[in-house]
Amino acid sequence: MADRLGGRRWGWYTGWLNLLGLLGAIAGIDYGCALFAGAFAGLQWGFEPTPGSLMVIYVCVLALHATLNLFGVRLVGILSSVSVWWHLAGVALIVGVLWLVPAHHRSVSFVFTTFVDGTGWDSTLYVALIGLLLAQYTFSGYDASAHLSEETTGAQVNAARGIVRAIRWSWVAGFFLLAGLTFAIQDYAGVQNTPTGVPPAQIFLDALGVSGAKALLLVVIVAQLFCGNAEVAATSRMVFAFSRDGALPGSARWRHVSPRTGTPTRAVLLSVAVAGVLALPSLYSPAAYTAVTSINVIGITPAYAIPIYLRLRHRRTFRPGPWNLGRRGVPVARVAVLWVAFVTVLFCLPQTHPVSLATFNYAPVALVLVLTLATVWWAVSGRRSYRLPEPDRDSPARRIGDEVGR
């Protein structure tokens, strides 16, 4: 869309930013899964999570997702369908158990009005703003429907419908889950300094005991595994499509599709390998997880906003598709562009004080490196090799879509 509205170079940078955000999403989801798995192992076997051991778990999670995605699109589709129901049922289970079982709950005023600053900054406003990171991170994976659109029947409507539904259900489920967790806090100081390394695990433990905590941790871990698997699928399709358009170094290698499974196998392996590299700073930095989620946000949200900005620039000639916002489209688009510009700058700023090697937010470094690589590669090869092909019924992506639609 950015390519068609603004020209090849707009599409080029949009694709590179989107790819950075998707890779950050894999790293954020799967490293979060490793943290929860480490907490579960601690309760079950007395395992003591260290940066090194968590990295081993993280690599195992990445390997699992790579393996599942190499089996073919049918398995990915089945797992994605199961994932939706697992997440909804899991949220209902967690909220219900945390509401019914604990004898003590926090007050409404504590949940909705208490403000705690653990960042070291003196500015309440700044702390509140950087606290938006995890909320923004949560609302940054709904584009998976777009990345799988070539494998979706009726994509002009169904992909858009999937995006809207993902946002709606994420908001509803996320609100009730966070409210349920916060109401169930028994010892706030204990949650902050939990030996599990995962505050929600400590909430489960304090409110439900060891057995209940382990059961709910398993629910969360399986949900994270589902989510990470879907993110690997979306990212590998982005790598495939971008390579098909001649935009990545070694494009001919990464756009290869397995004739047996119909899966872009090399794109899958590249996606999980780069995601693994993004989390390496966690070996020495306790702030690495925050940085990884920031990489996702400052990469993928500008990629969302660029086509919207171009749609505003060309609104007189823009032709809406069958799914559109009607008269609300232009004002919503303006708000979206301004918001994305704001949060992109915000999440490049330091998250904790004082700033040191251990607390450094390296997300803007990743952003600068990717933009530099994109600029250099455009000059070296992209201006000649980058192209946006017309839809082809005989293309590998289209054949994958036909198979999924059966």
Side-chain angles (χ1 to χ4, degrees):
M1 180 61 74
D3 189 289
R4 288 191 167 91
L5 288 174
R8 293 167 64 240
R9 200 157 187 175
W10 281 102
W12 176 268
Y13 282 104
T14 300
W16 277 92
L17 287 169
N18 195 50
L19 182 57
L20 171 65
L22 288 169
L23 292 167
I26 296 176
I29 295 166
D30 282 6
Y31 194 79
C33 183
L35 291 171
F36 275 80
F40 175 84
L43 296 178
Q44 180 67 26
W45 301 292
F47 171 80
E48 294 185 11
T50 64
S53 61
L54 289 173
M55 179 57 64
V56 171
I57 298 173
Y58 173 59
V59 171
C60 291
V61 174
L62 287 175
L64 172 63
H65 286 151
T67 302
L68 291 173
N69 273 273
L70 293 177
F71 275 110
V73 295
R74 284 188 177 274
L75 177 60
V76 172
I78 292 170
L79 292 175
S80 296
S81 298
V82 175
S83 173
V84 173
W85 295 107
W86 184 275
H87 278 79
L88 292 176
V91 169
L93 175 65
I94 292 171
V95 173
V97 169
L98 291 179
W99 179 257
L100 295 174
V101 175
H104 169 72
H105 291 89
R106 292 286 179 169
S107 65
V108 173
S109 62
F110 173 85
V111 172
F112 292 105
T113 65
T114 300
F115 184 86
V116 179
D117 176 10
T119 67
W121 295 105
D122 293 330
S123 171
T124 300
L125 176 62
Y126 183 70
V127 173
L129 290 176
I130 61 176
L132 295 172
L133 172 59
L134 289 182
Q136 188 69 49
Y137 169 66
T138 300
F139 285 112
S140 61
Y142 47 81
D143 61 319
S145 297
H147 292 294
L148 294 172
S149 60
E150 289 185 278
E151 305 168 32
T152 303
T153 55
Q156 283 189 310
V157 172
N158 289 329
R161 181 180 290 129
I163 290 172
V164 173
R165 286 177 175 174
I167 295 171
R168 179 190 303 136
W169 285 109
S170 293
W171 190 95
V172 173
F175 174 82
F176 282 104
L177 180 60
L178 289 176
L181 284 168
T182 311
F183 274 114
I185 292 175
Q186 307 295 303
D187 177 8
Y188 187 81
V191 170
Q192 284 184 302
N193 303 296
T194 173
T196 68
V198 180
Q202 191 64 45
I203 295 174
F204 295 157
L205 185 62
D206 293 342
L208 308 173
V210 175
S211 297
K214 290 191 292 186
L216 292 191
L217 281 174
L218 284 176
V219 172
V220 175
I221 292 168
V222 173
Q224 290 171 318
L225 289 173
F226 276 131
C227 192
N229 190 68
E231 197 64 40
V232 170
T235 306
S236 64
R237 271 53 176 187
M238 173 63 193
V239 172
F240 163 76
F242 216 32
S243 299
R244 176 198 58 196
D245 300 345
L248 293 180
S251 287
R253 173 178 293 273
W254 309 123
R255 62 175 172 251
H256 170 77
V257 175
S258 169
R260 183 176 63 86
T261 63
T263 300
T265 52
R266 295 172 185 173
V268 170
L269 296 175
L270 178 65
S271 299
V272 297
V274 176
V277 172
L278 286 178
L280 286 178
S282 65
L283 292 172
Y284 64 84
S285 171
Y289 183 71
T290 300
V292 166
T293 56
S294 295
I295 288 173
N296 171 242
V297 172
I298 66 177
I300 211 164
T301 48
Y304 294 161
I306 289 173
I308 301 173
Y309 166 73
L310 294 173
R311 180 253 190 272
L312 288 173
R313 281 185 57 181
H314 302 281
R315 61 180 178 272
R316 296 188 184 278
T317 57
F318 178 78
R319 297 178 62 185
W323 183 286
N324 61 79
L325 296 177
R327 294 181 178 179
R328 295 173 294 172
V330 170
V332 169
R334 287 172 176 160
V335 172
V337 171
L338 291 173
W339 175 255
V340 169
F342 172 69
V343 297
T344 300
V345 173
L346 177 65
F347 298 142
C348 286
L349 301 178
Q351 304 290 305
T352 57
H353 184 272
V355 179
S356 64
L357 182 63
T359 62
F360 178 67
N361 178 14
Y362 65 88
V365 176
L367 178 62
V368 170
L369 287 175
V370 166
L371 290 177
T372 301
L373 176 59
T375 301
V376 171
W377 193 247
W378 173 264
V380 172
S381 175
R383 66 176 65 195
R384 296 185 301 275
S385 64
Y386 178 58
R387 65 203 181 282
L388 193 65
E390 293 299 321
D392 181 0
R393 289 297 307 176
D394 295 326
S395 69
R398 184 60 62 188
R399 289 198 299 271
I400 294 172
D402 291 342
E403 181 69 18
V404 173
R406 290 195 184 104

